[in-house]
Each structure stands twice: as structure tokens, then as C-alpha cells.
Amino acid sequence: MQHFPIFLAVAGRRIVLSGGGDAAMAKLRLLMKTEARLTVIAADPSPEIHRWASEGKLRLVRRAMQPGDAICAALFYAANEDDVEDARTAAIAHAEGALVNIVDNLADSQFITPAIVDRDPVTVAIGTEGAAPVLARAIKADIEARLPQSLGLLARIGKRFRHAVEVLPMGRKRRDYWADFYFNAGPKAFDDKGESGVIPALETLLDDHITATDTAGHVDLVGAGPGDPELLTLKARNALDKADVVIHDRLVTSEILELARREAVIIDAGKEGFGTSMAQEDIDALIVEHAQQGHHVVRLKAGDPTVFGRLDEELAALETADISYRIIPGITAASAAVAQIGQSLTKRHRNSAVRLITGHDTKGYADHDWKALAAPGEVAAIYMGKKSARFIQGRLLMHGADPATPVTIIENVSRANQRIIATTLAEMEPTMTNAALTGPAITFYGLAPRDAAAQSLKLREFA
Ligand code: SAH
């Protein structure tokens, strides 16, 4: 982020603009929405600027800018539509301590004005750091269409009403009240009766919320997918949007946690305060405890919660405590990884079944039906298989698997630092150790990346 978005307090402060043509007017139309004191310096201002000056919306100085004109200005706009004059006036303003924007000159500007959706006091600012004005306009149009015109009015009334709502306990009850007001009762009252209908609606709504019985907590057990936020389901996104508390695994990426509601309490159940890893019973207790306080808890698990996710223990704890829950599936590492190597998990005439196996379980290296796996054409996705690689390799070879069977390791699937390592069963170790994997990795036994598969097929044809 090269530009940090902030909202600047400009009420009563000076903003100076040099220029009197179209560029100046475009900026002035925006600036006149603020409560700043505007000064326009222009030798030849347009008739509109004259009019605005006569209406007292700005102060007009009819000459070219001179040193001293930008003293005490918070912001300065050079909108002369002339590079030389822009540079000259900007230098004056800069020397006098104003933050400078030169219209249509990103490189020499100290700040830029975003595209704005105005539902004052609700303001949405959209910026692309000059990279894509078309995109900014499209996003603005989209948000304009989504936000009702009455929103600003509702927000102003809501602000005055805030103290009255303090009778509701902080947290979820208050949030529920406001959500109901802004998105349901408020717009409805405004549509039915106009501005005068809004306050009575707020009062009735408050009575309803005071008398409503306590809302019970709820837990969503959500699959976060392999890491790329775009691989989240919409249901997962919506759950994150509503969460009071997010309890997540070690493998859940920060980009995904960013999507959680701003006020949500985020708890890392992979570490934080509990040593390197938290015992499952403690996680169960933590989820139950937060839900019992009436919170909407999102239990966020990497991949799909039903795959090596210890989901059943958590479900049992929720059932014992009689807490409502919902399971939201996610894209498991095997699905995401196989897409990255251009293969299918199952394929006609190759493998009609695929096994999802774990390298180790609570007791140590996990045992499997090695004999069945060693048969030609078998495919397995090995989760948590880094430490057990040599064990798995040994077992498979011992049970007669072909040493040339392809093995593909994919580390950090769907993330910027993803790596694909193609090898064979014979070379699985030391390849894995040599690769010095640091991120989560999944191993496909019996699958090569599509390109490599095509290549080896060709080689065989020529042999
Ligand atoms: N529920 C998860 C699996 C949890 S077990 C899922 O459905 O994907 C943890 C193992 O999942 C890791 O050891 C690794 O083998 C695999 N895994 C999870 N995320 C991964 C990722 N982004 N890249 C590669 N492997 C991943």
C-alpha cells in the first residue's frame, strides 16, 4: 500500500485551490461538500466559480497565486491544467506547509483524492493508487447502487440515538439492534413515513429488543480452504462476516482472517497462550464457552473441516452442551492441490478410487492397507506426510509397489509460495528432506503433474 487511506478533519480548516477551469470545478464540487474554508486562486475563473463565490461557498482571489496564499492551508490543489503553473503553485504551497495534490499528476502529489460514495456521514472512499481509474469508477457505481439513499440520514439519526441504546448490554445484543435498525426497521420506517417516522421506529425497536429473550450462541464449523481467500465458499465468507469470535487453526492464512468482522475476537487455537499446540479438549471447551456466552462462534479449520479436522470431537462437545451448529464445507488440500498439477483425483481406466490418508495419527506413524495401495494405478493423497515420508516409502516398496510410481509433493497449495516437486516412489526420500519443506505439504502417491505425465508418456513412446 503506497497510499494510506485516512479521513481528514477539515471542518473550519483552509483548503486552497489554484485554477479556474474544468479541473478546478471538478475538485471544487467535491470540496464544497466538506465544511472546510475554501479559497480559489484564479486569474480567469469560470462563471460557476464566480457564482459559488457570490453564494459564499468559497473565497475567490482573482489573480495568479503568490507566496503567502497557502499559509495555514491543510490541503492545496494545483488545478491549473498547465504543468509549469502547477509546479510553480505547488512549490509555494509545499513551502507553506500544505499537503499538495497536483491534479492528474500522481508522481508529484503528496496525496490523492479517492472516488467517493457519499451518504454523509457514511463515506466510502475508493482508491487504486492511480492504477485503474476505470475499476474505481466501476466499484463506485456498484456501491452507489447498493447503499440506499436514506442511509446517511439513518446514520445521523442513529448517532443521536446511541446513548438510548446503551440500555442494551454491549456486544451482540447491541449489534443485533443496530443491524435491525439500519437494514430493516430504519429503511422501512423511512419509506413508510419519511424522516419523522424514523425516531418512533427506533423507540419501538428498542422496546422489542429490550424485552427479547437472550439469544442463544451458535457455532459454525467452517472450512477455510487451502489458503487462497478466493477459494472460500460464500457461506464461509458470510459466516466470517457475522462472527463474534473466530477460533482458527494454525494453518489458516492471515488473508482469510482479515475477512472476519472487524470487531471479532480472533483466537489462534494452534498456539497463543497454550504452548506450541492446544489440546483438543481445551479447544472443545473454548468453543463451548464462547457459544454459551451467546456469541456467534466461527470455528475455522484449514481445508475442509471433515478431512483430518478432528471435527467429531468438537461436534460431540457441542451436542453435550446443547449448542446449535452448522458445518460449512471447504476445499480440502487434495482437491486444491490436484487442480494445481492439472490432474484428476479419479480417472477412468486409471483409478476408480482415491484414498485420503494421513502420515501419522495420535499414536505415531499411521498404518494403512499397504498391499492394496501398492497395486498399480492406485492413487492416494497423503496429508501430514512430511515426517512419515520414509516410513510410507518403505512400506509401499516392501509391499511390491513399483519404484517408478510417480509421487508429487505440493507445498503451500494455492498460496504465493506454492512449490510443486515431482519425483518417484524410489526417490521420495531423500527428495522430501532435500526440499526442506517449511509450509504445509500434501503428497500425491500415483500422480505426476500433467506436463510431466505427458512428457514421460512421450519418452516411453520413443523408447
Ligand atoms: N482439513 C484439512 C487438513 C488438515 S490436516 C484439509 O481438508 O485440507 C493438515 C494437513 O493438510 C497438512 O499437514 C497438509 O498435509 C495438508 N494441507 C492443509 N493445507 C495445505 C496447503 N495449503 N498446502 C498443502 N497441504 C496442505
Side-chain angles (χ1 to χ4, degrees):
M1 210 192 281
Q2 291 180 0
H3 292 80
F4 181 63
I6 54 168
F7 287 93
L8 195 68
V10 292
R13 298 194 66 189
R14 282 193 86 204
I15 297 180
V16 176
L17 181 143
S18 169
D22 288 344
M25 284 192 302
K27 283 285 176 281
L28 286 171
R29 281 194 192 94
L30 276 180
L31 291 170
M32 284 187 310
K33 293 176 179 225
T34 71
E35 292 172 31
R37 290 186 293 126
L38 299 181
T39 301
V40 176
I41 300 166
D44 185 20
S46 71
E48 276 94 335
I49 295 180
H50 268 297
R51 186 160 53 79
W52 291 333
S54 65
E55 290 168 1
K57 292 182 175 159
L58 49 84
R59 193 169 78 85
L60 180 60
V61 179
R62 288 205 54 181
R63 58 164 167 73
M65 183 156 166
Q66 294 170 359
D69 281 345
I71 285 175
C72 291
L75 301 177
F76 173 78
Y77 283 90
N80 303 286
E81 297 172 61
D82 170 341
D83 290 348
V84 176
E85 183 62 356
D86 277 348
R88 186 187 74 83
T89 56
I92 295 175
H94 185 62
E96 291 173 358
L99 272 180
V100 169
N101 172 274
I102 303 179
V103 174
D104 290 333
N105 180 349
L106 180 67
D108 295 327
S109 291
Q110 290 175 301
F111 72 94
I112 48 182
T113 318
I116 294 170
V117 179
D118 175 18
R119 299 287 184 278
D120 182 44
V122 178
T123 317
V124 183
I126 304 145
T128 62
E129 305 204 326
V134 176
L135 187 60
R137 272 196 292 280
I139 296 170
K140 175 176 149 80
D142 193 34
I143 298 176
E144 286 282 5
R146 265 193 235 190
L147 299 184
Q149 287 297 334
S150 62
L151 194 70
L153 176 82
L154 293 178
R156 268 197 302 279
I157 296 175
K159 190 174 173 185
R160 275 194 272 134
F161 208 70
R162 273 190 100 88
H163 64 278
V165 181
E166 281 165 16
V167 297
L168 292 173
M170 238 171 47
R172 180 166 175 169
K173 281 210 104 180
R174 261 191 226 173
R175 276 202 304 279
D176 286 352
Y177 172 80
W178 286 118
D180 208 348
F181 168 58
Y182 284 120
F183 299 108
N184 187 14
K188 192 166 173 304
F190 182 78
D191 286 347
D192 290 351
K193 301 203 180 93
E195 191 170 344
S196 62
V198 176
I199 293 263
L202 270 171
E203 281 161 352
T204 315
L205 189 68
L206 189 55
D207 288 341
D208 293 350
H209 277 254
I210 290 170
T211 49
T213 46
D214 258 353
T215 26
H218 171 85
V219 178
D220 282 329
L221 300 120
V222 179
D228 177 353
E230 288 194 64
L231 290 178
L232 277 174
T233 64
L234 276 178
K235 274 208 162 71
R237 277 214 65 160
N238 291 337
L240 282 169
D241 230 24
K242 289 204 207 103
D244 297 307
V245 182
V246 177
I247 302 175
H248 68 92
D249 277 355
R250 188 175 45 89
L251 288 181
V252 174
T253 55
S254 55
E255 289 96 320
I256 287 176
L257 292 173
E258 287 262 326
L259 298 174
R261 205 166 59 81
R262 199 58 181 264
E263 298 78 15
V265 176
I266 312 265
I267 301 172
D268 182 350
K271 29 181 152 63
E272 210 164 79
F274 294 87
T276 47
S277 116
M278 205 164 153
Q280 186 60 46
E281 306 82 73
D282 293 337
I283 299 177
D284 300 346
L286 196 69
I287 300 170
V288 167
E289 184 191 315
H290 283 284
Q292 277 172 338
Q293 288 165 13
H295 291 137
H296 181 168
V297 180
V298 165
R299 170 68 177 121
L300 194 59
K301 289 163 176 288
D304 182 87
T306 73
V307 178
F308 303 124
R310 302 193 70 174
L311 177 69
D312 300 77
E313 282 121 299
E314 293 173 12
L315 295 186
L318 291 171
E319 276 159 2
T320 307
D322 200 20
I323 291 165
S324 83
Y325 66 80
R326 182 172 63 147
I327 302 168
I328 300 179
I331 295 184
T332 189
S335 299
V338 83
Q340 297 293 329
I341 61 168
Q343 290 286 10
S344 290
L345 282 176
T346 62
K347 187 177 173 189
R348 217 140 56 107
H349 308 308
R350 185 190 65 203
N351 64 312
S352 57
V354 60
R355 286 164 215 248
L356 307 184
I357 68 174
T358 173
H360 63 85
D361 53 29
T362 45
K363 290 184 226 81
Y365 293 155
D367 242 323
H368 298 284
D369 185 351
W370 302 114
K371 193 159 183 303
L373 268 173
E378 285 295 315
V379 171
I382 308 167
Y383 289 70
M384 294 172 277
K386 284 199 279 191
K387 289 205 192 91
S388 53
R390 192 169 291 286
F391 170 77
I392 293 172
Q393 178 187 38
R395 283 290 187 281
L396 286 166
L397 289 172
M398 200 172 89
H399 285 85
D402 182 350
T405 308
V407 166
T408 308
I409 303 133
I410 305 146
E411 185 193 26
N412 294 314
V413 171
S414 85
R415 304 178 190 178
N417 51 356
Q418 171 178 295
R419 276 202 294 170
I420 299 174
I421 300 152
T423 179
T424 59
L425 181 60
E427 296 296 320
M428 183 168 161
E429 275 299 353
T431 306
M432 265 177 96
T433 301
N434 292 343
L437 305 164
T438 52
I442 186 153
T443 307
F444 283 120
Y445 163 73
L447 284 183
R450 183 170 214 88
D451 292 349
Q455 218 122 58
S456 77
L457 209 68
K458 264 187 229 139
L459 285 177
R460 245 178 277 153
E461 274 166 22
F462 288 112

